[in-house]
Amino acid sequence: MTANGDVEVKQSRIPGAGKGLFARKTFSPGDIVVAVDRPLVAELEIDRMLDTCAWCFQRAATNPTERSMAVSMGLPNGSTDIKNCTGCQRVGYCSKSCQSKAWKREHKHECKIISVKDRPDLPPGVRGAIKILGRLKADPKTEITHVHDILNLWPAGDPNGLNEIGAQDKKRLDDLHLLGQAAWHYCGKQNIDGLDPQSISIRLLSNIMTNTFILSSPLDDINLGIGFDPLICSANHSCDPNASMAFNQPRHEIRALRTIKAGEEILIKYVEVTNPFNVRQAELKESYFFNCQCTKCAKGASLPADGFLERPNDLENEYHKLADKLVDQYESRLSKFVIPGNDAKAQRRVAAMHAKACAVLESGQATLDEVKEAIKMCIGSKMWRWTRQPVPLLCRRLLTLYLESGSIYQAFRLGVKLHFEILPALYSQEFYPDRLVNAWAVSTFINVLCGPANQELYQELAQGGLDLRLIYFGFLFYVHDHTPQMFGFDTPVGKVINSTYRQIMAGVSIPEADIRQRIETIWPSLEAVAHNVTISSL
C-alpha cells in the first residue's frame, strides 16, 4: 500500500528552487512517505546489463568466489540466474515473470532497437527515453500524462533551465542534446499526433538525466543503475535531510528519518552529505547546477566534517613530500577539496591528498592494496580521523574488497569498526540504511567464521572472551529490530532478514530475552575490537 495521497507537490520554500514535495500529514521516523511499485524509469548501467535482472534489479554473482561466498551467507545473488532476452541478447531477467512484466511495459519498445548487430550498448538515459517515447506512441492518451509530469520538472520545465545548464557547463548541455537526438533517431524520427518528438526527446532526456537517483541493492554496495520518477524527483535536496530513499528491487520508497510535520517540505540527499562543505557544494553544482543553502551549508566549513586532527601546516615531512607530488598530479581538481585557511599552500597539500583518496574511490578497478594505502595515507598523516570523509567511504570499499577476496576475518573486524566507531558518528538514526546494511554484512561474516572451516579461529577468539555465536545474535537482533523502519519485511532484503531470524530462533531453546542480556555483557569486549583496528592491522 502506498502513502502517496499523504504528500503533495507545490512551490518549494527554498530560495531559487522550483517545485517541492510536502507532507499533508505528520510522519513518524520510519514511516513510508512516498512509494512507487517501480520508478517510471529504471535503467541498468551498461556493465550490469547481463548479470542483473532488467526488471527487478536482482543481481547474480558471476565471479565463482563471490557466488560461493554469497551461497554460504544465504544471499540472493548466490542463487540468482540471469537469462538473456532471446530477441536482443542485450538484457536479461531472473524469471519469466519479470521478463513478462518488462515486455508488456517497456522492453517491446526497445528490443529491436538495441538488438541491431554491431550497435554499441546505449547509455541508460537514452534507453529510458526510448521506452518513454515508445509507450507514448503506442498509447498516447495514457502516456501523455507521464510525459507532462516529466517535462514539468527542471530544467525543461523552466523556460531558462536548459540555458542555465549551458551557461555553467556547455559540454553537458551539448551531451544532453546529442543523447536526446539519439533517442529520437533510434525511435524512427516519427511524429506522434502532431507533436515534435525530437524536441520532446531532448527535453525528456534532459530532465531524466538531471534528476536521476542511483539504484543499488541494500545487500551490497554495487551501483546497479539509475532511476527516475516524477513524484520522487519532486523532493528537493538538503545536506540535513529529513527523509531517505530506499530501493527495494523494484519498489522505491522515501521514508522519514525523523518526525516530519504536516505542511513541512520533504527533503532527501542528492549527494553524500557527510562530505566536507566544499565537496558537497562542488558535487551539487557539477551534477545538479545549484548552490545548496540548507541549514547545514549555512554554517559553511565549520563543522566536524570539515576539520582536521592537526593543522595542515603541521603535516609531517614524509607526507609533506608526498602531498607536494600530489598537488601537481591533481592540480585541476584541487578547488573541490580546498578548505580556506591561513596557509594556502598547506591547504592545497591536504586537498591533494583528499583528491588522491577520492580518485581511488572513483576507480572501479582499484585494488585492495590501493584502497588500504589510501586509508593509511589519510590516517597516517594525522590529518584525518576515522569518521572524516573520505576515510569512511574508503573503509566501506575495503570491506567489499575483503569480501570479494574471501578475507572474511578482516571484513569482520573492519565491519565491527564501522558499526561501533564510524557509522554512528555519521548517521544518528540506528535504522539508517548504511548502518543496517553494514550490521547485516557483519552478521553474515560471523556466520561464515562460525563454520567448520574456521574452527581454529573460532576457538582462539572464544579463549579471548569473544563468543562469535553470541555476537552473531547481537547483530542479527540489531538488524531485525530496525529493518521495519527502513525496508520492511515484505521487501527482498526484509524477507531475507526475517527468514534468517525465524530460522535461527526456531533452533534456539534459550529465551530471546536471556540472549539479549548475555549480549549486553559481551558488547564492551567487541567494541574494544573496533578500537583496536588500526592502519597497521588493516
Side-chain angles (χ1 to χ4, degrees):
M1 180 178 180
T2 63
N4 299 344
D6 295 324
V7 298
E8 61 180 328
V9 178
K10 60 182 184 180
Q11 181 61 39
S12 173
R13 302 185 185 115
I14 300 172
K19 300 291 186 180
L21 192 63
F22 288 80
R24 300 179 67 182
K25 73 166 196 176
T26 296
F27 293 99
S28 298
D31 282 352
I32 298 174
V33 177
V34 170
V36 295
D37 291 334
R38 189 175 186 270
L40 183 61
V41 174
E43 296 295 334
L44 293 167
E45 294 292 347
I46 290 175
D47 59 358
R48 296 269 74 89
M49 289 174 66
L50 295 180
D51 69 5
T52 303
C53 178
W55 179 257
C56 74
F57 277 55
Q58 288 291 334
R59 185 178 68 87
T62 54
N63 178 284
T65 301
E66 182 193 4
R67 194 170 183 86
S68 175
M69 195 63 63
V71 169
S72 69
M73 295 179 178
L75 300 178
N77 58 332
S79 57
T80 299
D81 290 310
I82 303 299
K83 294 184 178 180
N84 294 350
C85 167
T86 56
C88 65
Q89 296 290 327
R90 294 292 185 98
V91 297
Y93 302 95
C94 67
S95 67
K96 289 184 178 179
S97 174
C98 281
Q99 185 173 18
S100 176
K101 291 176 183 177
W103 180 262
K104 290 177 182 179
R105 173 169 158 169
E106 57 187 28
H107 186 56
K108 61 185 176 183
H109 303 303
E110 71 162 350
C111 190
K112 289 184 178 180
I113 294 173
I114 65 176
S115 67
V116 175
K117 186 179 180 181
D118 297 327
R119 175 169 289 168
D121 290 317
L122 303 180
V126 173
R127 300 199 308 271
I130 286 173
K131 292 172 183 175
I132 294 294
L133 291 171
R135 290 166 61 180
L136 178 61
K137 179 181 178 181
D139 187 4
K141 290 184 178 180
T142 301
E143 297 300 328
I144 194 65
T145 300
H146 289 148
V147 170
H148 283 310
D149 287 343
I150 298 172
L151 296 180
N152 283 335
L153 293 173
W154 192 90
D158 182 332
N160 296 315
L162 290 173
N163 291 333
E164 290 177 15
I165 291 179
Q168 296 181 45
D169 188 343
K170 186 178 183 301
K171 184 180 183 304
R172 176 76 175 274
L173 181 62
D174 290 342
D175 288 344
L176 292 175
H177 275 272
L178 179 63
L179 294 174
Q181 288 175 340
W184 173 66
H185 172 80
Y186 290 131
C187 285
K189 302 182 181 181
Q190 297 180 6
N191 289 328
I192 305 169
D193 288 344
L195 299 175
D196 177 6
Q198 182 179 14
S199 172
I200 289 177
S201 181
I202 293 172
R203 292 162 64 202
L204 282 174
L205 192 287
S206 298
N207 277 18
I208 290 171
M209 293 307 297
T210 310
N211 293 279
T212 55
F213 43 82
I214 299 299
L215 299 179
S216 60
S217 167
L219 292 174
D220 56 39
D221 197 28
I222 294 177
N223 178 6
L224 299 174
I226 62 168
F228 168 87
D229 190 88
L231 183 60
I232 290 176
C233 292
S234 296
N236 283 311
H237 166 84
S238 172
C239 295
D240 185 21
N242 56 18
S244 176
M245 293 199 293
F247 182 47
N248 291 319
Q249 298 171 286
R251 181 181 169 92
H252 205 89
E253 297 175 348
I254 295 179
R255 290 199 178 228
L257 289 176
R258 52 178 182 262
T259 299
I260 302 174
K261 296 180 180 179
E264 187 177 349
E265 185 165 1
I266 295 155
L267 302 169
I268 59 176
K269 70 173 185 177
Y270 291 1
V271 297
E272 179 52 63
V273 295
T274 62
N275 270 323
F277 168 74
N278 279 17
V279 175
R280 301 196 309 272
Q281 288 284 333
E283 290 181 347
L284 289 167
K285 191 72 171 178
E286 291 167 5
S287 299
Y288 301 98
F289 303 97
F290 70 88
N291 296 313
C292 186
Q293 303 175 58
C294 71
T295 54
K296 184 173 181 178
C297 286
K299 298 175 182 177
S302 63
L303 300 176
D306 305 288
F308 294 103
L309 284 173
E310 303 285 348
R311 296 186 308 162
N313 47 323
D314 289 336
L315 190 65
E316 293 182 355
N317 190 52
E318 173 189 354
Y319 291 95
H320 187 292
K321 293 179 179 178
L322 170 64
D324 282 340
K325 294 179 181 178
L326 294 175
V327 166
D328 294 333
Q329 185 176 350
Y330 294 99
E331 179 68 38
S332 62
R333 301 185 62 184
L334 292 191
S335 61
K336 178 177 179 178
F337 304 104
V338 169
I339 297 175
N342 294 330
D343 190 330
K345 287 186 178 180
Q347 294 293 344
R348 284 169 58 81
R349 290 189 184 104
V350 293
M353 294 168 69
H354 195 153
K356 167 64 177 178
C358 285
V360 172
L361 271 174
E362 294 163 7
S363 170
Q365 306 301 318
T367 66
L368 189 149
D369 286 339
E370 287 172 334
V371 176
K372 287 169 65 172
E373 285 305 311
I375 296 173
K376 290 178 179 179
M377 175 187 69
C378 293
I379 301 299
S381 69
K382 299 180 182 178
M383 291 291 116
W384 275 264
R385 59 181 67 83
W386 285 92
T387 55
R388 189 195 190 279
Q389 297 291 9
V391 175
L393 291 174
L394 286 166
C395 287
R396 292 177 60 184
R397 176 65 64 81
L398 180 59
L399 188 145
T400 300
L401 291 172
Y402 276 144
L403 175 61
E404 292 176 356
S405 66
S407 304
I408 302 302
Y409 179 58
Q410 290 294 85
F412 160 72
R413 293 176 69 252
L414 185 56
V416 168
K417 189 173 188 70
L418 282 160
H419 179 79
F420 283 104
E421 188 176 314
I422 298 176
L423 295 179
L426 302 180
Y427 313 108
S428 60
Q429 300 89 354
E430 290 193 290
F431 62 89
Y432 199 85
D434 299 66
R435 295 181 66 175
L436 285 179
V437 171
N438 180 73
W440 173 251
V442 175
S443 75
T444 59
F445 300 155
I446 298 171
N447 195 33
V448 174
L449 294 176
C450 289
N454 294 285
Q455 278 302 300
E456 185 176 340
L457 175 62
Y458 178 88
Q459 294 296 336
E460 181 181 337
L461 292 174
Q463 292 173 4
L466 290 178
D467 184 340
L468 282 181
R469 297 192 188 279
L470 189 56
I471 293 171
Y472 172 80
F473 278 104
F475 282 97
L476 179 64
F477 290 163
Y478 178 92
V479 176
H480 191 264
D481 289 348
H482 298 296
T483 290
Q485 287 182 284
M486 183 48 64
F487 301 115
F489 288 134
D490 60 343
T491 63
V493 63
K495 288 177 181 177
V496 171
I497 291 168
N498 199 34
S499 174
T500 302
Y501 169 83
R502 291 181 178 277
Q503 181 180 355
I504 295 297
M505 295 310 295
V508 175
S509 59
I510 305 172
E512 183 173 322
D514 290 350
I515 299 176
R516 289 179 181 269
Q517 191 172 18
R518 294 184 186 181
I519 291 169
E520 290 183 9
T521 64
I522 200 174
W523 228 230
S525 297
L526 185 62
E527 190 168 359
V529 171
H531 299 319
N532 287 332
V533 174
T534 63
I535 56 173
S536 62
S537 64
L538 285 177

